[in-house]
Amino acid sequence: MAGDEITLRVARYRPDKDREPGWQEYSVPLRDEWTVLDGLNHLKNEVDTTLAYRWSCRMGICGSCGMNVNGEPKLTCATFLSDYAPGPVKVEPLSNFPVIRDLVVDIDDFMTKLPRVSPWIIRDEEQSIDDGEYLQSPEELDAYKQFSMCINCMLCYAACPVYGLEPEFIGPAAIALAERYDLDSRDHGARERLDVLIEHEGVYGCTFVGECTRVCPKHVDPAAAIQRYKLKAAQESVKMFLLPRALRR
């Protein structure tokens, strides 16, 4: 594809100048090894230094380069321009978030909600340092490993129609991370998280469309985490109804 070009149709919004978002088209080299992020970096470095977007590692680890590419949430560092030839390729900020500038979105809502699910290990009682580490078997690690792969890229929130309609919904990534710690053999905080997630804005807000799992670049499967929490909530409801208080835990 040497010498070929492809058109990027990029969403632009500069709040100090623009009353509403618009579009700008650019031509970038079309090379087999170039990703959408490479195309944006070429624009930033060679064509238009005013273009704003986030990126960091370029290796699908940091999660910061998420954008809508032809209407679908993608990590732009892992999305190849050649897959969209002959173009054009439409690049927009992630859906369901306020736009700060151009392709940069405000994720403060997620950062505010995430601590509500206590995404850290909670212990009833910490053991002494002299007692050594909290050891785990490979099987205990495998129990939660899939849900620990979340990189907070926000693609699942951009794809989630429930979050788009009900901003109070705590969202797929936060619930998946709650499940990650619930499944950790070192953790005792499952009940604390369940108390948060059985509220209306928790797991019951999900209508199980499944788009969160489909777009996840790390195969975390947030939809499965949500359904597992619904089952736990249902079991807890039955327990509360049938068992005396002393036997509920």
Side-chain angles (χ1 to χ4, degrees), residues 204-243:
Y204 289 117
C206 174
T207 57
F208 200 54
V209 176
E211 286 296 293
C212 54
T213 289
R214 188 182 68 82
V215 303
C216 179
K218 295 298 182 180
H219 310 292
V220 172
D221 200 356
I226 293 170
Q227 296 311 300
R228 291 170 69 131
Y229 255 107
K230 286 183 179 179
L231 177 60
K232 283 187 278 189
Q235 290 171 335
E236 187 63 24
S237 296
V238 172
K239 188 188 300 183
M240 293 287 287
F241 180 74
L242 296 177
L243 295 180

